[in-house]
Amino acid sequence: MEAMTQKIVELRGISKKFGGIFALDRVNFDLYNEIHSIVGHNGAGKSTLVRILMGAIRPDEGEIFLNGKAVTFDSPREAQQNRIAMVWQELSNFPNLSVTENLLMQRFVHKSNGIIDWKASQDLCTQYLLRLNLDISPKSLMGKLSLAQQQLVEFAKALSYDPAVLILDEPTSALSLKEQEILYEKIATIKAQGVAVVFISHKLDEIMHLSDRVTVLRDGQKIFTKNGSELDKDGLVEAIVGKPSEKKKAQRVVSVKQKSTDSSEPVIQIRNLSMERHLEDVTFDLKRGELLGITGVSGSGITDVGRILFGIELEYTGEVLLEGRLYDCTSPQQAVNHGLGYVPKDRKEEGIIPGMSVGDNLILSTLRQIYDHGFVNNKTRKTVIDRTMDIIDLKPRDPEITISSLSGGNQQKVVMARWISEGTRVLILDEPTRGVDVGAIEKIYALIREMTCMGVSVLVISSEFEEIHHAADRLLVFNKGKIVGEIDPAASAWEEAFALAIK
Ligand SMILES: Nc1ncnc2c1ncn2[C@@H]1O[C@H](COP(=O)(O)OP(=O)(O)O)[C@@H](O)[C@H]1O
Ligand SMILES: [Mg+2]
């Protein structure tokens, strides 16, 4: 720690409220030439803290010092001009532009006549990519790269600004183990080159291994900052989730819980499901009319389970039985034919057709019923739409407006309602409340509950521990591709699920 003599950044007494709730409550944080990790559960305030440092969010209170001088950044660009760079939690690139355009942005190489020199710009881009050993063509379209590659390009881009401070907000979630190792190695190298690093992640093993210091946030408050060498994992987990006695009275986010049917008849049986680097020997049952939650932090494999069941992901071993019979599904169309429905995590990319009306979005999966020898049977169309609109209580109740004009919560209802039809036996929902306004979360779960009461078995995939704990009949916790525990929500607190998920 000899190099840790000069304080580079100091955040003093930072508070920020969103809608009356403290996202950060008088938090102090400082950064030397070190790797300083921030950990905490979803919603603890990690992203808000670093966004404030980046000038993306204005704090309500508190001060920021850079090399001892008080500063205020009104935008990330200003932070960047002061040699602070960040890899954001959400990808923030332009999928229709090339890697070179994304990475260099306004910094293209120009010819003497002022025209952009594409060849030289691409070479420069390649140099930046090579700093991270990335074998990616500077000419590829950003949107054609895998999520992990896109994240690594953003990392290369942040480094290309020659930052003195580099912030990485959960950069590992989309990365394979090998890519993570490259990333950790690079983080250590750039620290040795004098860059101070703020690292946000859920992967406690890596954090303890990599960090000089670790700060724990919980519900907007700083619990402690400690040296990496002083930490043990149990202590860290306890700081993150809190001692039982310190727990605030659990807020009931979802109060619509009434157990549907008490059935033990399995509809889906998953046996020894494995997928390289994603899932390992996963076995569980989904019962009739059950609302089963599976939870874990990013990279735990929960999303993969849904993708396998719906026939999107085919590279796995193990078996799936549907109502006792081997279910060998190799495409989403087959899954639908077998009575499965699926709502993906990314509604905008895969869930809705933005230009189409609410009504047409509603009937997407029932189109075959509605087409009559190739013609749309308007009467059937209207009946199906009316019936579904009644069930989901959509506002405004107008099937002809475009779906893009609805709020996130109402869009999600439409996507889910598509699967309310006689054929659906199993519904898989991946992060059903993501991007949904808080007021609508309960309505989404009420709708899910209604479907279980109709006998549909629902698998909810969610990384919102508290929310899914309140909503589910039964909760399985995943960690690094394995089931590490089963939680009975009636008998335990949600923090237990989280503690298992990060151990
Ligand atoms: N732009 C925003 N508007 C309203 N609430 C927000 C916003 N950003 C964050 N929050 C809330 O602030 C809290 C902290 O969020 P965040 O900093 O993203 O947590 P973390 O990164 O630790 O998961 C959460 O309760 C979150 O819902
Ligand atoms: Mg965050």
Side-chain angles (χ1 to χ4, degrees), residues 370 376-386:
I370 290 155
V376 176
N377 181 334
N378 273 320
K379 197 154 155 262
T380 319
R381 177 180 181 275
K382 189 169 178 313
T383 316
V384 172
I385 291 176
D386 279 349

mmCIF file of all heavy atoms in Angstrom, residues 370 376-386:
data_model
loop_
_atom_site.group_PDB
_atom_site.id
_atom_site.type_symbol
_atom_site.label_atom_id
_atom_site.label_comp_id
_atom_site.label_asym_id
_atom_site.label_seq_id
_atom_site.Cartn_x
_atom_site.Cartn_y
_atom_site.Cartn_z
ATOM 1 N N ILE A 370 -56.544 -17.160 -35.289
ATOM 2 C CA ILE A 370 -57.315 -16.051 -35.817
ATOM 3 C C ILE A 370 -57.304 -16.016 -37.344
ATOM 4 O O ILE A 370 -58.236 -15.574 -37.979
ATOM 5 C CB ILE A 370 -56.781 -14.743 -35.198
ATOM 6 C CG1 ILE A 370 -57.172 -14.746 -33.714
ATOM 7 C CG2 ILE A 370 -57.338 -13.521 -35.874
ATOM 8 C CD1 ILE A 370 -56.284 -13.913 -32.873
ATOM 9 N N VAL A 376 -57.472 -12.867 -41.972
ATOM 10 C CA VAL A 376 -57.723 -12.607 -40.563
ATOM 11 C C VAL A 376 -59.229 -12.615 -40.341
ATOM 12 O O VAL A 376 -59.971 -11.929 -41.032
ATOM 13 C CB VAL A 376 -57.158 -11.235 -40.142
ATOM 14 C CG1 VAL A 376 -57.523 -10.942 -38.697
ATOM 15 C CG2 VAL A 376 -55.653 -11.204 -40.307
ATOM 16 N N ASN A 377 -59.655 -13.438 -39.406
ATOM 17 C CA ASN A 377 -61.060 -13.441 -39.048
ATOM 18 C C ASN A 377 -61.288 -12.340 -38.011
ATOM 19 O O ASN A 377 -60.949 -12.475 -36.848
ATOM 20 C CB ASN A 377 -61.427 -14.813 -38.471
ATOM 21 C CG ASN A 377 -62.897 -14.878 -38.101
ATOM 22 O OD1 ASN A 377 -63.521 -13.853 -37.818
ATOM 23 N ND2 ASN A 377 -63.439 -16.073 -38.114
ATOM 24 N N ASN A 378 -61.838 -11.220 -38.485
ATOM 25 C CA ASN A 378 -61.943 -10.046 -37.633
ATOM 26 C C ASN A 378 -62.790 -10.268 -36.388
ATOM 27 O O ASN A 378 -62.531 -9.686 -35.349
ATOM 28 C CB ASN A 378 -62.507 -8.861 -38.425
ATOM 29 C CG ASN A 378 -61.375 -8.119 -39.115
ATOM 30 O OD1 ASN A 378 -60.304 -7.941 -38.533
ATOM 31 N ND2 ASN A 378 -61.593 -7.724 -40.357
ATOM 32 N N LYS A 379 -63.790 -11.122 -36.539
ATOM 33 C CA LYS A 379 -64.661 -11.352 -35.396
ATOM 34 C C LYS A 379 -63.883 -12.084 -34.297
ATOM 35 O O LYS A 379 -63.891 -11.685 -33.141
ATOM 36 C CB LYS A 379 -65.880 -12.176 -35.833
ATOM 37 C CG LYS A 379 -67.004 -12.111 -34.846
ATOM 38 C CD LYS A 379 -68.366 -12.361 -35.484
ATOM 39 C CE LYS A 379 -69.324 -12.886 -34.426
ATOM 40 N NZ LYS A 379 -69.449 -14.348 -34.446
ATOM 41 N N THR A 380 -63.166 -13.138 -34.687
ATOM 42 C CA THR A 380 -62.365 -13.870 -33.696
ATOM 43 C C THR A 380 -61.314 -12.956 -33.093
ATOM 44 O O THR A 380 -61.075 -12.952 -31.893
ATOM 45 C CB THR A 380 -61.647 -15.065 -34.359
ATOM 46 O OG1 THR A 380 -62.552 -15.674 -35.261
ATOM 47 C CG2 THR A 380 -61.181 -16.056 -33.328
ATOM 48 N N ARG A 381 -60.681 -12.153 -33.954
ATOM 49 C CA ARG A 381 -59.651 -11.241 -33.484
ATOM 50 C C ARG A 381 -60.210 -10.352 -32.387
ATOM 51 O O ARG A 381 -59.629 -10.205 -31.317
ATOM 52 C CB ARG A 381 -59.152 -10.397 -34.650
ATOM 53 C CG ARG A 381 -58.117 -9.344 -34.271
ATOM 54 C CD ARG A 381 -57.667 -8.544 -35.504
ATOM 55 N NE ARG A 381 -56.657 -7.563 -35.157
ATOM 56 C CZ ARG A 381 -56.927 -6.351 -34.699
ATOM 57 N NH1 ARG A 381 -58.182 -5.972 -34.530
ATOM 58 N NH2 ARG A 381 -55.943 -5.511 -34.397
ATOM 59 N N LYS A 382 -61.397 -9.788 -32.647
ATOM 60 C CA LYS A 382 -61.997 -8.866 -31.690
ATOM 61 C C LYS A 382 -62.348 -9.590 -30.388
ATOM 62 O O LYS A 382 -62.091 -9.078 -29.293
ATOM 63 C CB LYS A 382 -63.253 -8.219 -32.299
ATOM 64 C CG LYS A 382 -63.797 -7.098 -31.437
ATOM 65 C CD LYS A 382 -64.859 -6.288 -32.161
ATOM 66 C CE LYS A 382 -65.431 -5.203 -31.256
ATOM 67 N NZ LYS A 382 -65.792 -5.650 -29.922
ATOM 68 N N THR A 383 -62.888 -10.801 -30.511
ATOM 69 C CA THR A 383 -63.258 -11.544 -29.305
ATOM 70 C C THR A 383 -62.035 -11.820 -28.445
ATOM 71 O O THR A 383 -62.055 -11.599 -27.235
ATOM 72 C CB THR A 383 -63.876 -12.917 -29.686
ATOM 73 O OG1 THR A 383 -64.792 -12.686 -30.760
ATOM 74 C CG2 THR A 383 -64.588 -13.544 -28.524
ATOM 75 N N VAL A 384 -60.963 -12.285 -29.099
ATOM 76 C CA VAL A 384 -59.755 -12.620 -28.339
ATOM 77 C C VAL A 384 -59.197 -11.372 -27.654
ATOM 78 O O VAL A 384 -58.871 -11.379 -26.472
ATOM 79 C CB VAL A 384 -58.686 -13.249 -29.264
ATOM 80 C CG1 VAL A 384 -57.373 -13.427 -28.521
ATOM 81 C CG2 VAL A 384 -59.174 -14.585 -29.796
ATOM 82 N N ILE A 385 -59.131 -10.270 -28.410
ATOM 83 C CA ILE A 385 -58.579 -9.043 -27.839
ATOM 84 C C ILE A 385 -59.447 -8.551 -26.678
ATOM 85 O O ILE A 385 -58.932 -8.228 -25.600
ATOM 86 C CB ILE A 385 -58.434 -7.952 -28.921
ATOM 87 C CG1 ILE A 385 -57.335 -8.357 -29.910
ATOM 88 C CG2 ILE A 385 -58.101 -6.605 -28.300
ATOM 89 C CD1 ILE A 385 -57.162 -7.420 -31.080
ATOM 90 N N ASP A 386 -60.767 -8.538 -26.873
ATOM 91 C CA ASP A 386 -61.657 -8.056 -25.809
ATOM 92 C C ASP A 386 -61.498 -8.878 -24.538
ATOM 93 O O ASP A 386 -61.372 -8.335 -23.445
ATOM 94 C CB ASP A 386 -63.130 -8.129 -26.255
ATOM 95 C CG ASP A 386 -63.487 -6.920 -27.115
ATOM 96 O OD1 ASP A 386 -62.666 -5.982 -27.150
ATOM 97 O OD2 ASP A 386 -64.563 -6.933 -27.742
#
